[in-house]
Amino acid sequence: MTSRERLLAALDHREPDRVPLDIGSTAVTGIHRDARTSLRAHLGLPAREAVTWHRMQQLARVDDDLHSALGTDVRGVRCAAGAGWDAQETEDDGYRLYTDEFGIVRRMPRAGGQYYDLCGSPLAGASGPADVAACAWPRPDGHERFAGMRDQCLAAREAGFPVVLGSVCSGMMEMGEAMLGFDRYFTELAANRPLIEALADRVLELKTRYWRAAMTQVGDLVDVVQEGDDYGGQRGLLISPALWRAVFRPRLAALFAALRKAAPRVRVLFHSCGAIRPILPDLIEVGVDAINPVQLSAPGMEPSELKKDFGANLTFWGGGVDTQRVLPRASPRQVREAALRSIEAFAPGGGFVFAAVHNIQPDVPPANVLAMCSAIRETGTGG
């Protein structure tokens, strides 16, 4: 099987010759720049400077020779920033800072920093929908967004790989948290729903415009579109299921309906961390085909139970190895065994794309990444 055939079989709930592997196709199945550099050195690949494509998470581009060495199956394509955005960083009081095209400010310590964290929210003083409307939002569908995108998709398709296309921004809740500030967002969700819903509607509008334009440009070449929002915490949903269904479910349904109208055959990969089992039936109903990252350590996210209850309608894109405790701290043997357990639970009948539970972090030993990948080859029946 080619990599594209392998992935499409899994998404069709047919068993491929082996489970498809994703490292690096999205901002939630990626690899930190430091982990990528360590992995290249461990494999004896030539030293190359990391190309950091996701600044906040410090995710590095997976080079073609590294893809080949790991045996990955999926290739990701991302849109460019909008016109007029200055990508330059500044420095202040021991931090590197940058402002993204939405006006969100993030910072990372100059000494030993691994990620950028939120430190400035453009709507921190907002009180109602009028403030949301008055905010300077970037254009999501300008031609500059799609520069080089078709060539990237064609190159992946011609090489036998499936194409996953990323969104223009993070989800409605995540964008609201960043635009208002985390503390204000959850307070206003309880006390000022018009403000929260105006923010969600604005993000929905931006995303809808982006996906319509993107599918016009490359919809014939894209196999999977990746969306997401973080609704779950370590122990449960961040808000009640009833509130989630009132605010976010109808807007997700509208977004996916517009996307399906623009490109009926694409599959929707949706990311949400945490204990999200209570809303999995809702996500299926609004049009999600595959869920990521499948946080194994969270309550209700036990692999065999998820497969039994949702495996007929949902592909599990993740859940390969826990990245909080197992992948960075266990031995290679233990990592391999954990990966084999996930494959045993999720792979029968298709509907499984192997990825770590979220991005591979900087403290993950290279030998553990290789142990994870070896488990996939071990259970396959062909190349």
Side-chain angles (χ1 to χ4, degrees):
M1 280 184 159
T2 67
S3 287
R4 182 167 182 261
E5 290 169 343
R6 188 172 293 131
L7 180 76
L8 293 180
L11 290 170
D12 285 339
H13 297 272
R14 295 181 287 113
E15 288 190 19
D17 57 341
R18 65 165 174 81
V19 172
L21 169 63
D22 179 14
I23 298 178
S25 79
T26 74
V28 290
T29 59
I31 183 168
H32 190 276
R33 55 177 167 78
D34 292 352
R36 169 261 181 201
T37 298
S38 298
L39 189 55
R40 287 190 65 87
H42 183 84
L43 288 166
L45 298 174
R48 291 179 184 165
E49 185 175 353
V51 177
T52 303
W53 70 269
H54 194 288
R55 187 179 298 196
M56 183 182 73
Q57 299 184 95
Q58 292 291 283
L59 300 181
R61 179 182 178 272
V62 179
D63 314 281
D64 288 342
D65 57 352
L66 184 54
H67 271 306
S68 296
L70 299 175
T72 62
D73 291 294
V74 192
R75 298 295 181 265
V77 176
R78 299 107 190 172
C79 68
W85 177 53
D86 182 3
Q88 296 300 311
E89 295 180 346
T90 59
E91 295 188 3
D92 179 54
D93 195 27
Y95 288 93
R96 294 189 178 95
L97 298 93
Y98 77 97
T99 302
D100 72 13
E101 59 179 325
F102 293 88
I104 300 163
V105 186
R106 295 183 171 90
R107 69 182 186 179
M108 178 175 70
R110 290 184 60 196
Q114 300 285 6
Y115 318 95
Y116 283 85
D117 295 310
L118 179 70
C119 67
S121 301
L123 286 173
S127 59
D131 296 308
V132 176
C135 185
W137 297 86
R139 183 181 175 186
D141 51 2
H143 66 87
E144 68 282 349
R145 296 266 179 209
F146 310 104
M149 183 180 284
R150 188 165 185 85
D151 289 341
Q152 294 177 59
C153 292
L154 280 168
R157 178 67 69 85
E158 289 169 0
F161 294 104
V163 176
V164 179
L165 180 60
S167 188
V168 69
C169 64
S170 56
M172 290 174 241
M173 177 182 277
E174 288 181 283
M175 286 298 294
E177 292 163 351
M179 296 294 288
L180 283 178
F182 283 90
D183 50 352
R184 275 214 66 206
Y185 183 82
F186 287 99
T187 301
E188 301 298 345
L189 190 57
N192 190 356
R193 279 272 294 279
L195 172 60
I196 296 301
E197 296 203 21
L199 264 170
D201 285 336
R202 191 68 169 116
V203 176
L204 171 60
E205 177 200 351
L206 297 177
K207 286 180 175 290
T208 302
R209 288 171 56 189
Y210 166 76
W211 284 120
R212 284 173 175 159
M215 292 300 97
T216 298
Q217 296 282 336
V218 295
D220 58 322
L221 298 173
V222 171
D223 298 293
V224 179
V225 297
Q226 191 260 309
E227 269 293 345
D229 213 355
D230 276 340
Y231 302 127
Q234 297 283 73
R235 299 181 180 179
L237 292 172
L238 298 177
I239 59 176
S240 71
L243 183 55
W244 180 86
R245 291 181 180 115
V247 176
F248 297 105
R249 175 180 162 137
R251 291 173 171 87
L252 286 176
L255 175 62
F256 298 147
L259 209 161
R260 300 281 190 196
K261 185 175 181 180
R265 68 173 190 81
V266 299
R267 315 300 181 89
V268 175
L269 167 61
F270 192 81
H271 167 85
S272 179
C273 291
I276 59 167
R277 182 187 175 95
I279 62 170
L280 286 179
D282 300 88
L283 292 173
I284 293 168
E285 288 172 8
V286 300
V288 170
D289 297 295
I291 194 73
N292 167 274
V294 195
Q295 189 170 330
L296 305 175
S297 60
M301 304 299 285
E302 201 280 326
S304 61
E305 292 299 310
L306 291 176
K307 183 73 172 183
K308 176 173 65 74
D309 293 341
F310 306 110
N313 299 302
L314 200 60
T315 291
F316 301 99
W317 193 309
V321 178
D322 170 59
T323 46
Q324 291 179 295
R325 297 174 182 85
V326 178
L327 197 56
R329 301 178 187 174
S331 68
R333 178 184 60 81
Q334 292 169 323
V335 168
R336 172 183 159 277
E337 290 172 351
L340 289 172
R341 286 194 297 272
S342 290
I343 293 169
E344 182 180 8
F346 285 126
F352 183 42
V353 180
F354 192 105
V357 179
H358 220 299
N359 299 317
I360 298 171
Q361 301 300 318
D363 58 348
V364 173
N368 284 6
V369 178
L370 299 183
M372 178 180 75
C373 296
S374 73
I376 299 167
R377 293 190 295 271
E378 183 178 334
T379 56
T381 59

